[in-house]
Amino acid sequence: MAKEKTLKVLVVRPYEYPVVEEIEDKLEALQELVGGYIQVIYPWEDSVGLVCNDEGKIMGLDNNRELKDEDGNTYDVIAGTFFICGLSLNNFKSLNEEQIKKYTEMFREPLEDNLAPGI
């Protein structure tokens, strides 16, 4: 299976609403988008990954969005710009329309005071 040349991802920046962007599927482009080394986390059962700056908290990047458990309790906060992408067996892939809708709604609202309660 050929690797995609571009990826359709959902980009979430601090203080902004999520936006769909086409990005180049190259490590350098991914790092540029998040502002440093990338870290991929898999907080959901869906075939998606959340790609963020591996050192975002250490670097003091602005808090962006909370991650919540199934009961709605905050268990972590992502610092700095991140994006959501689809996952294939060995690569990132573009999000489908259903995933875009789901994660746009999940991350629609920026943190109001940029502080995460209880974290």
Side-chain angles (χ1 to χ4, degrees):
M1 183 174 189
K3 188 173 174 181
E4 296 179 62
K5 293 186 187 305
T6 62
L7 300 170
K8 187 179 200 179
V9 300
L10 184 70
V11 179
V12 185
R13 293 178 174 88
Y15 313 110
E16 297 180 17
Y17 295 109
V19 294
V20 176
E21 292 185 15
E22 289 264 336
I23 62 172
E24 195 174 8
D25 190 8
K26 289 177 39 180
L27 178 61
E28 296 82 9
L30 306 178
Q31 290 175 328
E32 183 177 330
L33 184 57
V34 301
Y37 295 113
I38 64 170
Q39 173 186 23
V40 186
I41 58 175
Y42 310 95
W44 310 288
E45 292 184 15
D46 294 349
S47 292
V48 299
L50 186 156
V51 182
C52 60
N53 185 315
D54 187 40
E55 299 175 327
K57 291 178 183 174
I58 296 168
M59 294 170 62
L61 298 180
D62 288 341
N63 287 336
N64 190 342
R65 300 296 200 280
E66 298 171 324
L67 294 180
K68 298 183 180 202
D69 64 20
E70 58 277 348
D71 297 322
N73 299 312
T74 300
Y75 66 87
D76 200 359
V77 175
I78 303 298
T81 297
F82 67 89
F83 64 91
I84 309 291
C85 63
L87 300 172
S88 66
L89 190 56
N90 296 313
N91 297 310
F92 295 149
K93 68 177 189 177
S94 293
L95 293 172
N96 63 41
E97 292 304 315
E98 183 180 310
Q99 292 167 328
I100 289 170
K101 182 177 179 182
K102 177 179 180 176
Y103 294 102
T104 296
E105 181 61 28
M106 182 181 292
F107 293 113
R108 184 171 47 91
E109 295 298 323
L111 289 176
E112 288 185 23
D113 59 5
N114 204 29
L115 297 174
I119 299 294

